[in-house]
Amino acid sequence: MPKNSKVVKRELDDEVIESVKDLLSNEDSADDAFKKSELIVDVQEEKDIDVEEESEVEDERPAWNSKLQYILAQVGYSVGLGNVWRFPYLCQKNGGGAYLLPYLILLLVIGIPLFFLELAVGQRIRRGSIGVWNYISPKLGGIGFASCVVCFFVGLYYNVIIGWSLFYFSQSFQQPLPWDQCPLVKNASHTFVEPECEKSSATTYYWYRETLNISSSISESGGLNWKMTVCLLAAWVVVCLAMIKGIQSSGKVMYFSSLFPYVVLICFLVRVLLLNGSIDGIRHMFTPKLEMMMEPRVWREAATQVFFALGLGFGGVIAFSSYNKRDNNCHFDAVLVSFVNFFTSVLATLVVFAVLGFKANVINEKCITENSKIIIKLLKMGNISQDIIPHHINLSAVTAEDYRLVYDIIQKVKEEEFPALHLNSCKIEDELNKAVQGTGLAFIAFTEAMTHFPASPFWSVMFFFMLVNLGIGSMFGTIEGIITPIVDTFKARKEILTVVCCLLAFCIGLIFVQRSGNYFVTMFDDYSATLPLLIIVILENIAVSFVYGIDKFMEDLKDMLGFAPNRYYYYMWKYISPLMLFSLLMASVVNMGLSPPGYNAWVEEKASEEFLSYPTWGLVVCILLMVLAILPIPAVFIIRRCNVIDNSSGNLASVTYKRGRVLKEPVNLEGDDASLIHGKISSEMSSPSFGKNIYRKQSGSPTLDTAPNGRYGIGYLMADMPDMPESDL
């Protein structure tokens, strides 16, 4: 060591700031390894001022105003549009009530353990996703960058959906609703119904033609749709203003954006239960098709929904939890938020099926009326004998049961001639079995049902305002997954970074508000997140369980929480969850390989959707989306492994402990004497090998020297030096 170096020691009355180096230098004199590892730093003679207050001001991390605000933020992030339109669709498609069992099992096996893991690492290290994975393993630091890229991709098109909801919200203040009837077209001689609308429906026509003004293929841009451009700009302005002050501003918005959707869902449920046919929809939902539980596809789709419902891998969960106190009970948070998410999905599914039941009943009554007229016409023409019709049935005002009876009789009597009669069975079940998902459920099926509601504009305003709130709540977590890691890592100003991020996203997002924009939304939804997020979460699990060490992590949790988590999590993280995630990844790859890459294009002449394959450039874009999202992981690994970049910047090894909080080292470090703190690799420094203990008690301290929170006083110090990070991007 240079002769002009000396050990820095400071004792204060109430508060003590000691670096990791100083703490090690105070270790047991009998421990030669500790004596050899004491860290010596250069300090100029004249620099004897107290830097405690200045350091605290500079590095004081923002915190949630209350536990309720934090829980609402996590709930608002995890409960999103997928709970309202994807979960009900999967439930309808995969066996009704039988789908709930696989979903609940996978929530316990994959969802809660991995959600708990992300909450814990964020709270333990108090950094965004980049800082967290740099700390655990610098070579896996690309996980955090990959999370940021995925968040950016998802935020690009997710805010477009909020823009659509804003447009429908603004159009709902009309009586009747603008999508209630097909528009009329006038020519020189007469007035007639728009042919495209007549072939489809009023709500379908309004969605594709009035809202999107959609082109016939992804290759046909058609120019910008100015109405959607304005709505997209409004959506990004709302997100930017709510996020510009970080959790201080977004946290307050969460009180409304997280709670309002529940008010709307409950009001909708009460209202639709009073409508004719709603019970048929709920009965259909809870009629389990148990044979479908044996299909691997059902379990794969349930696992994927659990995965995305909780927002795993995006970095938003880690970012939110990093603003917690270090002794917060994140295990309770994980269980609470996961089950709130599940019950929200069930509540939304009840509402959706009740509305679909009402809609199916309306369509069924229309079907019966039209087919009854056909039967009366056939009776008058003599194609059907009047004798076969029961005398008590009045075809002019026939009930559903009576129509079914007449239909069955005609089918038996006219067995060979029956297909030529063109009669429909008019079953409610047939309508309920038509699976509708995503935008089709929200902007077509739901809007059509609401046109039959009494006071339909009021319910339309409530519904689309709820969608806006659900979307914005999820966008907060998505943008936080980008902003927090970058601010933590590069010390950028949060306000400027937020504005730049939102402005850049809006400019790129203009591709989604072309006339062909809906096809790009489908592309990004299918390819920008699914596989990259699975890979990210698998690597997160491996990084904690096998690189950092599951035993060490369990000890960290015990120290943070004040109690040892159930061993259930140990086995989940180490064995079951990685196995399940790998299986899900393989199944997703196989499914993607078997499913031809393409999209459903709207054909104006047919007034219906038609599946089209992506052009060559579209396939290239799909592949690029997946590659760009995953690329930071191998790139950072190679850079760190081969020492491409000189890691001479300070990192998380340079910390001090003050009243249980981790603060940045205030002293100036120079030269090779501070090789550990300056991020030199382990082979370049003489570090002793300490045991498996994460913390070592300081000698000469017969009792635990704890901080006010009871856990993080200077009597404990980080002693497992070989596991300290090599560098911190």
Side-chain angles (χ1 to χ4, degrees):
M1 295 291 180
K3 294 181 179 180
N4 62 342
S5 300
K6 67 177 183 178
V7 176
V8 178
K9 297 181 181 179
R10 182 183 299 133
E11 296 182 0
L12 301 175
D13 294 336
D14 297 322
E15 300 176 351
V16 179
I17 297 181
E18 291 188 323
S19 68
V20 172
K21 298 182 175 188
D22 300 327
L23 292 171
L24 289 176
S25 68
N26 289 332
E27 190 55 25
D28 195 329
S29 58
D31 193 337
D32 293 335
F34 266 113
K35 296 302 291 181
K36 291 178 181 178
S37 68
E38 66 179 19
L39 305 175
I40 301 176
V41 297
D42 288 333
V43 180
Q44 297 177 10
E45 294 293 339
E46 64 274 9
K47 191 153 184 172
D48 56 353
I49 62 171
D50 189 359
V51 296
E52 177 181 338
E53 294 183 7
E54 181 182 352
S55 176
E56 182 175 354
V57 170
E58 291 177 356
D59 291 296
E60 185 70 25
R61 190 170 184 79
W64 297 103
N65 291 337
S66 66
K67 181 65 175 282
L68 176 61
Q69 189 182 84
Y70 164 69
I71 293 296
L72 289 178
Q74 290 286 17
V75 168
Y77 174 51
S78 65
V79 175
L81 298 173
N83 297 76
V84 175
W85 63 35
R86 180 154 179 80
F87 187 90
Y89 159 73
L90 292 174
C91 191
Q92 180 185 25
K93 176 185 174 185
N94 296 318
Y99 172 76
L100 298 178
L101 184 58
Y103 183 89
L104 192 57
I105 292 172
L106 291 167
L107 180 67
L108 296 173
V109 173
I110 294 180
I112 294 178
L114 294 177
F115 192 60
F116 180 26
L117 183 145
E118 289 202 356
L119 289 178
V121 295
Q123 182 175 308
R124 169 73 179 83
I125 302 172
R126 306 200 72 195
R127 292 290 185 274
S129 56
I130 296 176
V132 161
W133 304 114
N134 274 336
Y135 180 86
I136 287 177
S137 174
K139 293 185 179 66
L140 294 177
I143 297 175
F145 289 98
S147 293
C148 291
V149 174
V150 172
C151 278
F152 188 72
F153 284 161
V154 172
L156 287 176
Y157 73 86
Y158 202 88
N159 224 24
V160 176
I161 301 173
I162 299 176
W164 294 340
S165 302
L166 282 172
F167 175 75
Y168 268 80
F169 172 73
S170 67
Q171 297 298 306
S172 296
F173 295 90
Q174 302 179 44
Q175 175 69 3
L177 291 169
W179 51 83
D180 184 47
Q181 300 290 335
C182 284
L184 298 177
V185 179
K186 295 181 180 180
N187 60 16
S189 58
H190 64 285
T191 302
F192 57 94
V193 177
E194 170 64 49
E196 185 181 358
C197 183
E198 193 174 24
K199 291 178 183 178
S200 53
S201 68
T203 51
T204 304
Y205 176 83
Y206 191 85
W207 166 244
Y208 284 112
R209 191 56 55 210
E210 296 294 335
T211 304
L212 301 179
N213 192 18
I214 199 164
S215 62
S216 58
S217 72
I218 195 171
S219 300
E220 182 186 334
S221 168
L224 289 178
N225 180 340
W226 69 267
K227 291 183 290 187
M228 292 301 102
T229 303
V230 171
C231 291
L232 179 63
L233 177 61
W236 277 114
V237 168
V238 170
V239 171
C240 183
L241 292 178
M243 295 290 301
I244 198 163
K245 293 295 184 181
I247 62 171
Q248 280 81 4
S249 56
S250 65
K252 294 179 175 63
V253 178
M254 284 297 178
Y255 283 112
F256 181 79
S257 65
S258 297
L259 295 176
F260 180 74
Y262 291 97
V263 176
V264 176
L265 286 174
I266 293 171
C267 291
F268 257 97
L269 182 61
V270 173
R271 182 68 191 90
V272 296
L273 286 177
L274 300 176
L275 296 174
N276 187 30
S278 60
I279 301 300
D280 294 326
I282 294 177
R283 186 186 302 117
H284 181 79
M285 170 188 171
F286 284 106
T287 302
K289 300 174 184 176
L290 298 176
E291 67 278 3
M292 297 191 71
M293 288 181 60
M294 299 297 104
E295 297 182 15
R297 173 182 56 81
V298 175
W299 290 83
R300 177 179 61 80
E301 292 187 347
T304 304
Q305 178 61 17
V306 167
F307 189 82
F308 287 104
L310 295 175
L312 300 174
F314 285 94
V317 173
I318 295 175
F320 279 156
S321 65
S322 71
Y323 298 112
N324 272 329
K325 296 178 181 178
R326 289 183 56 136
D327 59 349
N328 174 62
N329 189 347
C330 53
H331 174 256
F332 171 81
D333 300 342
V335 176
L336 176 64
V337 173
S338 298
F339 277 102
V340 166
N341 186 290
F342 172 68
F343 287 119
T344 304
S345 298
V346 173
L347 174 61
T349 304
L350 280 172
V351 173
V352 168
F353 271 83
V355 170
L356 292 179
F358 166 68
K359 174 176 173 284
N361 192 75
V362 171
I363 294 175
N364 193 59
E365 288 178 356
K366 184 179 179 181
C367 175
I368 291 173
T369 301
E370 292 176 351
N371 282 270
S372 296
K373 291 179 181 178
I374 296 175
I375 294 174
I376 292 173
K377 185 178 180 180
L378 293 171
L379 287 170
K380 290 180 179 179
M381 294 173 61
N383 293 341
I384 299 176
S385 172
Q386 184 69 46
D387 297 334
I388 66 173
I389 306 298
H391 298 293
H392 69 280
I393 294 178
N394 180 10
L395 289 173
S396 299
V398 66
T399 63
E401 292 77 11
D402 288 344
Y403 175 79
R404 287 293 308 161
L405 177 60
V406 172
Y407 179 86
D408 291 339
I409 292 173
I410 296 175
Q411 189 176 27
K412 290 178 182 178
V413 173
K414 298 285 185 177
E415 186 174 351
E416 296 181 357
E417 303 173 14
F418 184 78
L421 300 178
H422 303 293
L423 292 175
N424 293 320
S425 59
C426 298
K427 293 181 180 179
I428 291 180
E429 291 76 13
D430 293 339
E431 285 296 323
L432 290 172
N433 284 327
K434 293 179 182 178
V436 183
Q437 70 162 320
T439 55
L441 176 62
F443 298 106
I444 298 176
F446 230 87
T447 52
E448 184 174 345
M450 284 187 293
T451 58
H452 301 287
F453 282 21
S456 55
F458 169 77
W459 294 105
S460 183
V461 167
M462 293 282 282
F463 176 71
F464 288 110
F465 193 39
M466 177 191 72
L467 289 188
V468 170
N469 277 275
L470 285 172
I472 287 178
S474 296
M475 276 299 295
F476 287 163
T478 303
I479 299 301
E480 199 68 54
I482 303 171
I483 301 297
T484 298
I486 294 177
V487 169
D488 287 344
T489 305
F490 301 106
K491 306 304 178 188
R493 280 198 62 183
K494 176 162 275 188
E495 295 85 352
I496 296 175
L497 181 61
T498 302
V499 172
V500 170
C501 179
C502 291
L503 184 60
L504 177 63
F506 168 73
C507 293
I508 299 176
L510 291 176
I511 65 172
F512 301 109
V513 290
Q514 305 173 94
R515 290 183 58 201
S516 60
N518 188 48
Y519 307 138
F520 285 97
V521 170
T522 302
M523 176 190 288
F524 272 67
D525 190 33
D526 290 341
Y527 293 97
S528 69
T530 307
L531 287 181
L533 280 179
L534 275 172
I535 294 171
I536 287 169
V537 175
I538 289 172
L539 291 175
E540 287 181 358
N541 199 161
I542 291 174
V544 171
S545 299
F546 301 100
V547 178
Y548 184 76
I550 190 65
D551 294 310
K552 190 189 303 183
F553 186 61
M554 293 295 285
E555 285 295 325
D556 282 355
L557 289 175
K558 181 178 179 181
D559 195 61
M560 277 201 310
L561 303 176
F563 62 88
N566 194 291
R567 294 291 289 181
Y568 166 81
Y569 293 103
Y570 178 93
Y571 295 110
M572 288 295 107
W573 288 328
K574 191 168 186 180
Y575 303 111
I576 307 300
S577 293
L579 181 62
M580 295 289 289
L581 288 171
F582 271 115
S583 302
L584 180 58
L585 178 62
M586 293 299 103
S588 298
V589 170
V590 170
N591 180 67
M592 190 172 289
L594 296 177
S595 303
Y599 60 101
N600 291 318
W602 179 254
V603 182
E604 183 177 354
E605 293 75 18
K606 299 179 181 178
S608 62
E609 289 185 332
E610 180 180 295
F611 183 82
L612 297 179
S613 297
Y614 286 117
T616 304
W617 64 265
L619 293 175
V620 172
V621 173
C622 292
I623 295 171
L624 276 177
L625 287 174
M626 293 186 287
V627 171
L628 288 175
I630 301 171
L631 185 62
I633 298 174
V636 172
F637 181 85
I638 293 171
I639 289 171
R640 293 273 172 77
R641 183 71 178 83
C642 302
N643 293 322
V644 175
I645 297 177
D646 181 26
N647 294 319
S648 58
S649 59
N651 57 34
L652 287 176
S654 176
V655 296
T656 59
Y657 288 82
K658 173 181 175 292
R659 287 190 174 179
R661 292 196 302 272
V662 180
L663 300 176
K664 190 177 179 181
E665 177 60 53
V667 298
N668 294 327
L669 304 171
E670 299 176 0
D672 293 333
D673 304 277
S675 60
L676 173 63
I677 296 181
H678 278 283
K680 302 295 184 184
I681 60 175
S682 55
S683 59
E684 295 177 356
M685 56 186 170
S686 59
S687 295
S689 177
F690 308 115
K692 291 291 182 184
N693 294 331
I694 300 175
Y695 300 98
R696 185 182 294 273
K697 188 166 183 274
Q698 194 173 357
S699 63
S701 178
T703 59
L704 227 70
D705 185 5
T706 57
N709 64 12
R711 296 189 183 90
Y712 296 99
I714 61 167
Y716 277 75
L717 56 119
M718 299 294 289
D720 201 357
M721 284 305 175
D723 289 313
M724 295 301 284
E726 298 171 7
S727 63
D728 185 15
L729 279 179

